[in-house]
Amino acid sequence: MTGFWNVWVITLTVIFLVFMILVVVKYWKTNHLADENKTVDSFDNIDENDGPPPRIMFIAYLVAFSCSILFLILYPGLGNWQGLLGWQQSDDTPREHNVSLDEQIASITSPTLNALAAEPAITASGKALFQTHCAACHRANGQGQKHFPNVVDDVWLYGGTDEAILHSIKQGRNGAMAGWKAILPKEDIQNMSYYLASLQQRPLNAPSVKIDLGKNAFLKNCSACHGADAKGNQVIGAPNLSDSTWVHGGSIEEIQHTINNGLNNVMPAFEGQLSNNEILALGAYITEQRIAHNSKIAAIPVDTITKGEYLAYAGDCIACHSAEGGEPFAGGLPFVTPFGTVYSTNITPHVTEGIGDYSYEDFKAALYDGKGKHGYLYPAMPYTSYQYVTEDDVLAMWDYLQSITAVSRRNDDNSMIFPSNIRLGLLGWNIAFMDTSPLDLTSDAPTVEETEIWSRGKYLVMGLGHCSECHTPRNIAQALEADKIFQGNLIDGWNAPNISSQELYQDRWDVKSLTDFLHTGHSDKGSAFGGMADVVKNSTSFMTRNDVEAMATYLLTGDDNNRIPPDTQQLQPTGFTDLAKQSDMYTLFKTTCGVCHGEDGKGRDPIAPTLLNNGIIMHSDPYNTIAVTIRGLEPSYLSEERNFMPMVSFQNILTDAQLSDLISFIRQYLGDRTVPITGNNVKDVREKLQKAGYAGNFHTTPDMYDKRDRNIDVD
């Protein structure tokens, strides 16, 4: 500091201190003149009296001034004065820490990152440096967030060698991807997103032809950087697009956004901010975390992970915890209720976005008691059924979920109305409506083998499969009506139909046809569509046929509150008789339904399924038959050989009266249901679907939930 500024700082500091001392002294001397009974002013009838300041205030000033003067004598504060202690700012820098770190690293004969990662003192220094310089982007746990990669796994854009990791920290990275929005047609970009998502073997609502077209577009435009196999190029930092790791989001929508708009990834260089040994400590800490993560997964037996994966699919976890077209298990699927919309959560092992901070006990509490770490869960999470799953199976599911890729997708905010948005109230719901009685697996079947099949089927249906959660009516509080188990419920504009043993028997389902239906989505009783197609696609198709057959056996045999009355008669559809073929309705049928389903209604592979003996046509409730004609259908994409053609909506083609007559005609001859459908029946269904935004649409599309009114419940 120059002589001028030295004098200037000292002068101002001394003047300020002297001035403040004089002010305090003045008030001290006049303190005895104060009259606490004298009113100085009045504000809103509140008097301000001339009371003396308390003595403690003057004592506090004396202490403060004394400490200030002592500080200025001992430490720098008056211009160039260094203080009697000779303190310098550099004394507070972590010099001893750096010297210690230098000595520790120097003592390592071969300072590879693996060797350094074995030294707790070095990794402790690295952790402190990581929290200061890296956590803002890569999160405190190193698992990253959207646009910032996970640095504690084995997936590295530029390679995971010591040299590549240290290069990234020292010199930074700058990866760019061009945007293709103005270059490629929208259809090409859409098809490429389907193709890239298909590389993860995730179920998609897309035909194979679009996936093939997407592959061709990818090979033509993207393979130069990402490789013909889409496995990327670490030399230039082009990511592997065939695995489950997506830095910038892996949903269909996010993939398309990335292709459309491109990217400009920048990681800053730390070579000028950190010493070489500090960078080594950072690399050591990252390596230690990676080794710890890999060791944790390696400690789980492979057969346990395999079992857990099977159970997770049998439990339909991926279907509910994946948004339409989204990354598996990353959450985001909306559930519309009369009380608002609930979104499924991220259940990947990401610590901040998923359940990575859960213990096994936390996980078990969520499945058995509906109690999450941050409050009680809404019964859209079927913990009322998962409570029946054995602890061995829950533990296997937990181990599997620990092994999957951590996805950094943030959970959506629920939009529940008051007071249902108060989580504590759900404890009262559990107390009032949750039946915690153990699952009774005893059977009166005549043989041990039949008993085992029935019991296994009940365990899967009532627990993991939680079929009752969709197929059972709910009361005003959205609790299942146990005395009406499996008797049907409206969900997302479809009727999860009555699947009671009486209904199934009456509609001529047997073990083979029901097993075929649940296992493949197709049978001689028709094909799955709507939400049931998603269940087959994401759950039951991954199960063994023996397990699916056990489920079918249980559903057909029945149980408490679900028995076949002795006088129940099976339906006997005749098909179109000669007399029926002479009617005007048959002519209308041929020109509408018969074009695809055949003039005899027996279906035409691979165009349309059979209507004769079709489970929906024969069903006692005509709701889905009516809804299909109003909504139309897209293929279920369950089997390439039997995806069938899209079905158009008749919303703007036939009147309510025409639809009611046509449906009555079809149900009479192809389903043996003789109760006629009225125009009002059709009108009621149409108005519900129109109100919810479903009428005239195909089956659920990826953007349907984004565009609809989330507060509308179809029922």
Side-chain angles (χ1 to χ4, degrees):
M1 186 181 297
T2 64
F4 169 79
W5 287 111
N6 178 50
V7 173
W8 181 253
V9 170
I10 293 174
T11 301
L12 287 180
T13 303
V14 171
I15 290 174
F16 175 77
L17 283 173
V18 172
F19 175 74
M20 291 303 299
I21 291 172
L22 291 174
V23 170
V24 174
V25 170
K26 174 184 178 298
Y27 280 100
W28 171 266
K29 288 182 176 181
T30 60
N31 193 36
H32 66 283
L33 300 176
D35 182 4
E36 61 182 10
N37 296 317
K38 178 183 177 182
T39 300
V40 177
D41 208 339
S42 180
F43 302 92
D44 294 332
N45 296 322
I46 300 175
D47 294 336
E48 179 185 355
N49 293 341
D50 185 24
R55 179 178 294 272
I56 187 65
M57 185 184 76
F58 295 105
I59 296 174
Y61 274 122
L62 176 62
V63 173
F65 286 135
S66 300
C67 290
S68 299
I69 293 171
L70 180 62
F71 177 88
L72 293 174
I73 293 172
L74 297 177
Y75 291 95
L78 293 173
N80 290 330
W81 168 253
Q82 295 300 311
L84 295 179
L85 296 180
W87 178 89
Q88 297 181 9
Q89 186 175 359
S90 59
D91 292 342
D92 277 353
T93 59
R95 179 178 299 173
E96 293 183 4
H97 161 77
N98 286 339
V99 171
S100 175
L101 180 61
D102 293 341
E103 291 175 351
Q104 290 166 357
I105 292 179
S107 67
I108 306 297
T109 305
S110 177
T112 63
L113 293 185
N114 280 344
L116 296 174
E119 300 294 328
I122 294 175
T123 56
S125 298
K127 180 178 180 179
L129 291 164
F130 187 91
Q131 300 306 313
T132 301
H133 299 283
C134 312
C137 293
H138 297 284
R139 290 294 174 94
N141 55 25
Q143 285 185 308
Q145 56 184 312
K146 188 174 180 179
H147 303 307
F148 302 98
N150 185 336
V151 295
V152 294
D153 60 9
D154 287 326
V155 181
W156 290 83
L157 288 176
Y158 295 90
T161 64
D162 288 7
E163 180 182 5
I165 293 173
L166 294 175
H167 180 280
S168 295
I169 301 173
K170 288 180 180 179
Q171 300 183 32
R173 299 289 186 180
N174 192 346
M177 171 180 162
W180 294 86
K181 186 174 183 179
I183 302 172
L184 295 178
K186 179 180 179 181
E187 290 74 16
D188 278 0
I189 293 175
Q190 181 186 63
N191 292 338
M192 277 197 286
S193 70
Y194 291 142
Y195 166 66
L196 294 174
S198 74
L199 296 178
Q200 299 174 53
Q201 307 302 313
R202 64 168 110 159
L204 295 171
N205 285 332
S208 58
V209 63
K210 286 193 173 184
I211 295 174
D212 291 340
L213 290 172
K215 180 178 181 179
N216 293 334
F218 176 87
L219 292 173
K220 181 178 179 181
N221 300 286
C222 311
S223 60
C225 293
H226 295 281
D229 55 3
K231 293 188 179 299
N233 185 344
Q234 292 182 343
V235 175
I236 61 174
N240 184 344
L241 303 178
S242 65
D243 61 13
S244 58
T245 300
W246 295 86
V247 176
H248 305 285
S251 69
I252 296 294
E253 181 182 1
E254 288 169 319
I255 294 172
Q256 291 178 10
H257 182 275
T258 300
I259 299 173
N260 275 315
N261 301 291
L263 292 166
N264 186 17
N265 292 335
V266 177
M267 172 174 168
F270 286 93
E271 194 170 33
Q273 302 180 46
L274 302 176
S275 69
N276 187 61
N277 283 340
E278 287 175 326
I279 291 174
L280 285 173
L282 264 177
Y285 169 69
I286 292 171
T287 302
E288 178 208 34
Q289 295 299 300
R290 184 167 49 157
I291 292 172
H293 174 265
N294 290 341
S295 298
K296 175 184 175 182
I297 303 305
I300 305 173
V302 175
D303 58 345
T304 299
I305 293 178
T306 302
K307 176 184 177 182
E309 180 180 20
Y310 179 84
L311 294 169
Y313 277 88
D316 217 14
C317 302
I318 189 171
C320 288
H321 287 277
S322 305
E324 189 75 29
E327 294 178 80
F329 301 107
L333 187 69
F335 293 85
V336 180
T337 76
F339 309 107
T341 301
V342 181
Y343 292 87
S344 64
T345 55
N346 184 335
I347 57 171
T348 70
H350 197 285
V351 171
T352 54
E353 265 57 272
I355 59 172
D357 63 337
Y358 272 49
S359 65
Y360 168 67
E361 293 301 322
D362 294 329
F363 180 72
K364 187 171 70 170
L367 261 67
Y368 282 173
D369 306 317
K371 185 178 180 180
K373 284 193 68 174
H374 308 293
Y376 286 91
L377 306 178
Y378 291 103
M381 161 69 176
Y383 56 85
T384 51
S385 294
Y386 285 150
Q387 63 173 321
Y388 302 131
V389 180
T390 66
E391 188 158 353
D392 284 345
D393 284 354
V394 170
L395 183 58
M397 293 168 66
W398 166 253
D399 286 338
Y400 167 66
L401 290 175
Q402 298 307 295
S403 72
I404 65 178
T405 300
V407 180
S408 59
R409 184 190 183 279
R410 295 184 179 181
N411 289 320
D412 299 276
D413 294 328
N414 297 326
S415 56
M416 302 295 286
I417 62 176
F418 179 83
S420 56
N421 58 345
I422 300 175
R423 294 273 186 167
L424 186 59
L426 294 168
L427 173 60
W429 190 96
N430 290 345
I431 294 172
F433 299 110
M434 185 173 174
D435 181 4
T436 57
S437 304
L439 190 66
D440 183 7
L441 296 178
T442 58
S443 168
D444 55 3
T447 67
V448 173
E449 181 181 7
E450 289 176 327
T451 297
E452 290 178 349
I453 293 174
W454 184 91
S455 298
R456 175 64 175 172
K458 180 173 182 178
Y459 173 72
L460 292 170
V461 167
M462 300 302 296
L464 287 164
H466 53 273
C467 306
S468 61
E469 300 286 342
C470 288
H471 290 274
T472 299
R474 293 179 180 268
N475 62 24
I476 192 172
Q478 293 300 289
L480 298 178
E481 299 182 36
D483 59 336
K484 298 180 181 179
I485 189 168
F486 300 135
Q487 292 184 21
N489 187 29
L490 284 180
I491 299 177
D492 286 336
W494 295 116
N495 180 22
N498 183 334
I499 56 169
S500 64
S501 56
Q502 177 183 1
E503 180 75 37
L504 293 174
Y505 175 78
Q506 192 173 36
D507 296 346
R508 302 186 68 84
W509 288 91
D510 56 26
V511 172
K512 181 182 182 306
S513 60
L514 190 53
T515 301
D516 288 343
F517 180 84
L518 293 174
H519 203 221
T520 68
H522 301 287
S523 75
D524 57 10
K525 299 287 292 178
S527 297
F529 60 86
M532 193 62 213
D534 293 333
V535 171
V536 175
K537 189 185 305 182
N538 294 292
S539 179
T540 53
S541 63
F542 290 92
M543 299 172 68
T544 64
R545 188 170 179 88
N546 285 342
D547 273 351
V548 177
E549 190 171 294
M551 294 173 68
T553 299
Y554 169 72
L555 289 170
L556 288 163
T557 303
D559 196 2
D560 294 339
N561 297 321
N562 181 27
R563 297 294 185 183
I564 304 174
D567 58 346
T568 302
Q569 299 294 318
Q570 290 189 314
L571 300 175
Q572 302 285 346
T574 61
F576 293 123
T577 62
D578 291 338
L579 181 61
K581 291 179 180 179
Q582 298 173 15
S583 67
D584 293 338
M585 275 297 107
Y586 182 70
T587 302
L588 180 61
F589 172 86
K590 286 197 303 180
T591 57
T592 52
C593 313
V595 174
C596 294
H597 293 280
E599 294 185 1
D600 55 5
K602 295 181 180 180
R604 296 171 59 195
D605 283 339
I607 296 173
T610 179
L611 297 181
L612 178 64
N613 291 312
N614 186 291
I616 294 301
I617 301 297
M618 298 175 71
H619 201 277
S620 57
D621 188 344
Y623 182 96
N624 278 346
T625 304
I626 298 171
V628 164
T629 62
I630 295 172
R631 293 182 64 166
L633 279 176
E634 274 202 354
S636 60
Y637 304 115
L638 290 165
S639 168
E640 187 174 348
E641 292 76 23
R642 300 190 67 184
N643 276 334
F644 298 126
M645 300 288 288
M647 174 177 167
V648 300
S649 165
F650 288 91
Q651 163 76 356
N652 299 316
I653 299 174
L654 298 178
T655 66
D656 291 348
Q658 288 174 316
L659 270 178
S660 64
D661 290 343
L662 179 60
I663 293 172
S664 297
F665 178 75
I666 293 171
R667 281 169 57 84
Q668 177 183 352
Y669 289 101
L670 304 185
D672 196 20
R673 290 289 182 180
T674 57
V675 177
I677 309 302
T678 67
N680 285 333
N681 295 144
V682 176
K683 179 183 177 182
D684 289 344
V685 175
R686 175 173 53 77
E687 288 180 346
K688 286 183 178 181
L689 295 176
Q690 285 177 332
K691 181 180 178 182
Y694 288 122
N697 292 317
F698 287 137
H699 177 42
T700 305
T701 57
D703 63 345
M704 178 175 289
Y705 286 114
D706 294 330
K707 293 181 178 179
R708 67 171 294 186
D709 185 342
R710 301 185 186 281
N711 295 316
I712 291 178
D713 181 64
V714 175
D715 196 28

